[in-house]
Amino acid sequence: MADYNLATPRFIKSGIFSYTMPYAPDLKITMINEMDGVDRVRTRGGHDLVNHRYHKNPGETRTGRRSWLISYSYLGDSDFDDLYSKVVKNTNGGQLSFTFRPDSSQSAYSATCKFDMKSLQYKQVANGVYSVKLKIREVW
């Protein structure tokens, strides 16, 4: 797990929408590199049996699947509405993939992703101000 102090995240669905968050998330973005395509079993004799279903995105040298945890504590009404109407709604509630850039100024760090949440949960922390947490997971 790595923490990054990055600029504003960007969500892109070619030909449908492109949305850059209005400001950086709370302090940092947490990126997790999952190694979930490998099954390992230890035998009674102490040997490891390993089954590699997959270990990297086809065409990439980096191994593992990335996911990001992002939270915003003080999104205004219009910012939250934009996030919902431009990103959540246009990805059919997270069922459709989109291109995600943790730092909108760094196109080299793009990933094809989906939301990894059963629901979008947000809390009203003040009049017209919301708190929201997003989990974004790379898909192949």
Side-chain angles (χ1 to χ4, degrees):
M1 182 165 37
D3 294 333
Y4 295 94
N5 291 314
L6 297 177
T8 55
R10 184 171 201 176
F11 302 87
I12 304 164
K13 183 75 173 169
S14 183
I16 298 175
F17 69 87
S18 177
Y19 179 67
T20 303
M21 293 299 285
Y23 51 87
D26 296 348
L27 296 178
K28 58 189 169 192
I29 294 175
T30 300
M31 185 183 90
I32 302 165
N33 197 13
E34 302 171 3
M35 305 304 244
D36 60 347
V38 179
D39 295 323
R40 183 174 311 183
V41 177
R42 182 157 291 165
T43 66
R44 288 184 183 178
H47 297 284
D48 285 340
L49 303 176
V50 180
N51 178 26
H52 291 274
R53 290 176 284 135
Y54 59 88
H55 65 280
K56 66 178 186 169
N57 186 350
E60 294 220 4
T61 57
R62 179 191 45 78
T63 60
R65 182 186 308 266
R66 297 174 290 179
S67 62
W68 293 266
L69 303 173
I70 302 171
S71 62
Y72 285 89
S73 293
Y74 303 105
L75 276 180
D77 263 337
S78 63
D79 299 329
F80 180 75
D81 289 342
D82 285 346
L83 173 67
Y84 187 81
S85 65
K86 293 180 180 174
V87 180
V88 177
K89 190 174 178 182
N90 283 319
T91 60
N92 198 23
Q95 295 177 359
L96 302 175
S97 63
F98 54 88
T99 301
F100 176 69
R101 291 184 190 158
D103 184 342
S104 61
S105 66
Q106 300 290 326
S107 62
Y109 297 109
S110 297
T112 301
C113 298
K114 287 185 177 182
F115 288 112
D116 190 16
M117 309 173 300
K118 292 186 183 208
S119 61
L120 177 65
Q121 296 181 8
Y122 57 94
K123 296 179 186 177
Q124 187 170 3
V125 294
N127 186 23
V129 180
Y130 299 91
S131 163
V132 65
K133 292 183 180 182
L134 305 172
K135 183 172 183 190
I136 299 165
R137 188 168 194 243
E138 186 175 27
V139 295
W140 300 326

